[in-house]
Amino acid sequence: MKLKKWFIGAGILFVLIQFVPYGHDHENPAVVTEPNWADDWTRKTFMRSCGDCHSNETEWPWYSKIAPVSWLVAYDVKEGREHFNVSMWGHQKKNKGEDAAEEVEEGEMPPLPYLLMHPDSHLNDAEKRRFIERLKHTFGEDSDEDDN
């Protein structure tokens, strides 16, 4: 009987958290400007592996509409866009493009949870090497500049 009450309580809580307003706004602001990409392959690969969090062209999956996962997804996109957004190139103070290649090279980006939920974003070794090289060509390498 206690287990049944627990499931009913959990179900009610699950329904109630759907009304928490955070995580439901799936607006993609307009693309203002983009960097001068090394080539079309680099842009396509970036959008496939990084664009959901680091551009204004986020593709919002079905699970991004269900709390509490929606909260995590919304937070990740917000943070990603704040730190590095290719859709606001030259219009955002904190655009750390020169760090992009290093983050990919060190395995920091894309993060493992994103890769698990988006297997098409995974790069094989050859793609990863080429992507790192092309990111360096597009954004330069790590420097003291905050903006490109």
Side-chain angles (χ1 to χ4, degrees):
M1 196 62 150
K2 282 186 178 185
L3 190 58
K4 183 178 179 181
K5 286 182 181 182
W6 186 90
F7 276 115
I8 290 171
I12 291 170
L13 181 62
F14 179 76
V15 170
L16 289 176
I17 67 172
Q18 302 313 308
F19 295 101
V20 173
Y22 185 76
H24 293 286
D25 180 17
H26 294 142
E27 182 180 321
N28 281 332
V31 174
V32 178
T33 56
E34 287 193 12
N36 185 18
W37 295 100
D39 51 38
D40 192 48
W41 181 88
T42 306
R43 184 189 188 283
K44 285 180 182 175
T45 304
F46 182 92
M47 296 310 287
R48 184 182 99 204
S49 296
C50 314
D52 281 338
C53 292
H54 296 289
S55 79
N56 291 349
E57 299 180 61
T58 302
E59 292 184 23
W60 300 95
W62 65 268
Y63 55 82
S64 69
K65 296 168 181 61
I66 301 171
V69 176
S70 62
W71 306 339
L72 300 171
V73 172
Y75 178 80
D76 285 347
V77 170
K78 178 183 169 286
E79 287 294 304
R81 287 177 177 171
E82 283 179 7
H83 291 292
F84 176 49
N85 187 343
V86 297
S87 298
M88 301 293 291
W89 204 251
H91 296 275
Q92 185 174 340
K93 290 279 185 219
K94 218 197 258 187
N95 238 340
K96 301 278 187 177
E98 67 276 2
D99 295 337
E102 183 180 347
E103 294 285 325
V104 173
E105 197 166 30
E106 292 176 354
E108 299 291 321
M109 288 289 154
L112 183 59
Y114 184 82
L115 288 170
L116 292 173
M117 296 304 291
H118 302 86
D120 58 321
S121 66
H122 180 75
L123 303 174
N124 65 38
D125 289 341
E127 287 175 316
K128 186 175 177 178
R129 282 191 303 275
R130 180 178 179 200
F131 189 49
I132 291 164
E133 173 190 314
R134 303 317 289 156
L135 286 174
K136 288 178 181 178
H137 188 269
T138 299
F139 301 119
E141 295 192 43
D142 196 12
S143 69
D144 292 331
E145 295 179 38
D146 283 340
D147 209 359
N148 281 338

